[in-house]
Amino acid sequence: SDACSFCERAKRLLAQKGVVFEEIRFARHDYDARQNLVDLTCRYTVPQILIDDRPVGGYDDIKALDDAGDLDGLLGIAA
């Protein structure tokens, strides 16, 4: 299996926050799906996380938001 460590870390962080999320998976060589990802997020790497339909980046981006204390607010979690 092609495990994506950044995808797993992102899912783990969101699960720790108690966030319900939808995971959309596609095959590595599914170029149409990859193009849809680029069209939606302007990025081609995975994972790409959207909060309220707004692209916020990948795991490193949400981890940085969390470290800065900004992720909970974006997720609608009371501090």
Side-chain angles (χ1 to χ4, degrees), residues 19-79:
V19 174
V20 176
F21 58 89
E22 177 185 6
E23 178 181 5
I24 300 171
R25 299 178 67 126
F26 59 87
R28 179 181 302 260
H29 300 293
D30 184 340
Y31 298 109
D32 289 336
R34 184 76 62 172
Q35 186 59 52
N36 288 338
L37 180 70
V38 172
D39 292 345
L40 184 63
T41 67
C42 297
R43 296 184 182 189
Y44 63 91
T45 58
V46 294
Q48 288 303 315
I49 297 133
L50 285 79
I51 299 174
D52 294 329
D53 296 324
R54 177 181 151 218
V56 294
Y59 169 73
D60 288 338
D61 300 298
I62 64 166
K63 177 70 169 108
L65 286 167
D66 193 38
D67 290 347
D70 296 330
L71 184 59
D72 288 355
L74 285 175
L75 294 172
I77 299 171

Side-chain angles (χ1 to χ4, degrees), residues 1-13 23 25 28 46-47 49 58-60 62:
S1 117
D2 288 337
C4 167
S5 63
F6 288 103
C7 298
E8 294 304 317
R9 290 178 197 155
K11 291 189 291 187
R12 190 168 34 252
L13 176 57
E23 178 181 5
R25 299 178 67 126
R28 179 181 302 260
V46 294
I49 297 133
Y59 169 73
D60 288 338
I62 64 166

